[in-house]
Amino acid sequence: MLADRLKTLQPSPTLAMQAKAKAMRAQGIDVISFGAGEPDFDTPRHIKNAAMEAGQTKYTEVGGIPELRAAVRHKLKRDLGLEYTSDEVTVSCGAKHTLYNIVMSLVNPGDEVVIPSPFWVSYPEQVQLLGGVAVSVATSESTGFDLDPAAVRRAVTPRTKIVVLNSPGNPTGAVFSAAALKDVGELAVERGFWIVSDECYEALTYEGRHVSIASLSPEIKARTLVVNTCSKAYAMTGWRLGYAAGPKPIIKAMTDVQSQVTSNPTSIAQWAGIEALAGPQDEIAKMVGEFDRRRRFIVGALNAIPGVTSVMPKGAFYVFPNVSALFGKRWKGGILKGSSDVCAFLLDEARIATVAGIDFGSDAHIRLSYATGLETIKEGMSRMAAAVGRLEG
Ligand SMILES: Cc1ncc(COP(=O)(O)O)c(C=O)c1O
């Protein structure tokens, strides 16, 4: 019945885990969720007010109203020193949609898209859905999951159309070093592939400074699509507002695709987006300070659990601890053989929801989001430590 392209499609495991935790809570089970991919803060009031005050409720330009595209350009110049014209910017219904429009516009069946691993689950899925081939390239825990330019070079072939870079990254929290970004940027110029730089967690950089690969040289910028969103920095996940800046013909193609699929992003959200991107930015610093406190706590707590080790993530709001030392241990549900077993064990025995690393390309790890209150994190970590302490073998 269904189209062939659905044969490999996996529904988002992160959204599935959130739904599972929510359903358990609805049954009265006290589950602590470390599954969230969204800030637990509310959208700042001045942003919500801007949407209501504008009162714009009709169709708009497909790629976003001119005022919003101007706000995007202002933000990219202010934060990264990047200059774009308004026809080099397009706005979509969330960065996930922006990324899909890019794959639709650039990838022919059989084209290869290189994705550093561990990766955000939607990159390979979107590529495969459209007949492309996702090629994963390992990063190493010993470098904090930094981008490995030599591994990228080895993976690039004449069919490579895109290399996807995500820094700060989901699920590892890695912030790629400027040197590694430069190497891969120069490779893109040399070999003629496109770079998709997903910078959705830009604002949540705790160590060092966020570097956009597009800022490293004009030649690299000409081969790069910078992707970002209002979701994470402004706690606006539900508003669905993402954007891309890059070469005009690709931006035009993405906008044309969108014109036949969703038309414009929601008009009300666009007015909120202007205030978010161009208005006062001080709420971000408060949120970042709180995330940073939680980050330090959770990494310390994880590393104190025998059999669990975690590198210190430099950005985003995820930790990606290695739990492979628990493999082979027993609990009432059986023997732990991989990350999915560890997640099932933690949900059942500790009543904490986490996401299996295998979904992100590494079966040795699990992902925990610390976008939840510090007291909740403390309780979750003590439940995890107690449950792991009860494992046998
Ligand atoms: C790495 C990464 N890119 C893109 C997105 C999509 O964000 P949105 O569609 O809410 O803009 C997410 C959301 O979880 C993400 O983690």
Side-chain angles (χ1 to χ4, degrees):
M1 176 179 76
L2 300 178
D4 289 348
R5 73 176 72 87
L6 266 291
K7 282 185 183 146
T8 62
L9 183 74
Q10 296 293 325
S12 165
T14 50
L15 297 184
M17 182 48 108
Q18 263 166 271
K20 199 165 171 182
K22 206 168 172 182
M24 285 174 77
R25 262 195 238 115
Q27 288 166 29
I29 303 169
D30 165 31
V31 178
I32 290 179
S33 180
F34 289 104
E38 60 184 353
D40 52 318
F41 305 99
D42 195 7
T43 307
R45 177 151 301 279
H46 67 103
I47 297 176
K48 292 201 269 195
N49 288 347
M52 290 309 134
E53 279 157 19
Q56 300 287 334
T57 56
K58 297 286 172 34
Y59 289 137
T60 76
E61 289 84 347
V62 171
I65 52 178
E67 294 88 336
L68 177 55
R69 278 181 289 137
V72 168
R73 291 167 58 209
H74 169 76
K75 182 253 172 288
L76 292 170
K77 176 87 172 75
R78 177 192 63 210
D79 297 345
L80 302 170
L82 291 171
E83 296 205 40
Y84 292 95
T85 56
S86 80
D87 49 12
E88 291 175 321
V89 169
T90 191
V91 184
S92 308
C93 310
K96 192 182 265 188
H97 183 212
T98 309
L99 291 160
Y100 191 72
N101 285 341
I102 293 174
V103 182
M104 276 287 257
S105 301
L106 286 179
V107 175
N108 280 316
D111 282 353
E112 294 168 6
V113 176
V114 172
I115 305 169
S117 171
F119 44 75
W120 181 50
V121 291
S122 295
Y123 302 134
E125 290 295 339
Q126 292 189 347
V127 169
Q128 285 154 17
L129 192 55
L130 295 171
V133 179
V135 178
S136 77
V137 168
T139 61
S140 165
E141 197 166 359
S142 64
T143 63
F145 301 102
D146 195 6
L147 179 65
D148 179 350
V152 174
R153 186 176 279 275
R154 283 194 299 275
V156 167
T157 75
R159 291 228 68 167
T160 303
K161 199 67 184 275
I162 297 174
V163 173
V164 179
L165 302 176
N166 175 213
S167 176
N170 177 3
T172 63
V175 170
F176 293 158
S177 60
L181 289 172
K182 188 152 193 290
D183 278 1
V184 173
E186 283 167 358
L187 188 65
V189 175
E190 179 193 321
R191 301 291 289 271
F193 57 78
W194 300 100
I195 290 179
V196 171
S197 181
D198 178 347
E199 303 180 13
C200 287
Y201 294 96
E202 169 189 3
L204 308 179
T205 305
Y206 313 107
E207 292 179 30
R209 198 175 53 86
H210 170 77
V211 174
S212 172
I213 189 167
S215 68
L216 295 177
S217 79
E219 294 76 23
I220 295 173
K221 177 172 177 258
R223 298 229 59 97
T224 302
L225 286 143
V226 173
V227 175
N228 210 324
T229 180
C230 290
S231 287
K232 317 288 174 171
Y234 307 104
M236 288 177 68
T237 49
W239 297 76
R240 312 306 302 128
L241 216 54
Y243 56 89
K248 190 171 146 185
I250 306 177
I251 294 293
K252 178 177 184 313
M254 292 165 63
T255 311
D256 289 347
V257 166
Q258 184 162 300
S259 76
Q260 297 295 5
V261 183
T262 59
S263 302
N264 57 274
T266 308
S267 58
I268 300 159
Q270 291 190 56
W271 287 93
I274 296 168
E275 177 66 15
L277 296 170
Q281 301 292 301
D282 29 328
E283 295 284 328
I284 296 181
K286 282 190 231 158
M287 193 167 70
V288 169
E290 181 57 28
F291 277 138
D292 191 17
R293 205 143 14 111
R294 298 172 186 179
R295 171 181 77 117
R296 290 165 195 279
F297 174 80
I298 198 167
V299 170
L302 286 165
N303 281 318
I305 301 175
V308 179
T309 54
S310 176
V311 297
M312 181 65 84
K314 294 182 179 156
F317 42 60
Y318 307 102
V319 264
F320 202 56
N322 190 319
V323 292
S324 59
L326 302 179
F327 298 169
K329 292 189 183 290
R330 286 192 312 278
W331 66 297
K332 69 171 189 299
I335 297 177
L336 298 179
K337 294 201 196 81
S339 58
S340 304
D341 289 347
V342 173
C343 290
F345 155 74
L346 290 173
L347 188 60
D348 208 68
E349 282 285 301
R351 298 283 189 229
I352 68 169
T354 57
V355 189
I358 193 164
D359 297 320
F360 304 96
S362 172
D363 202 23
H365 298 83
I366 60 173
R367 191 194 77 172
L368 289 85
S369 156
Y370 50 89
T372 189
L374 191 56
E375 289 313 309
T376 309
I377 295 172
K378 284 183 179 164
E379 168 64 15
M381 285 298 100
S382 76
R383 288 189 196 184
M384 179 168 170
V388 169
R390 291 195 296 273
L391 283 168
E392 288 169 12

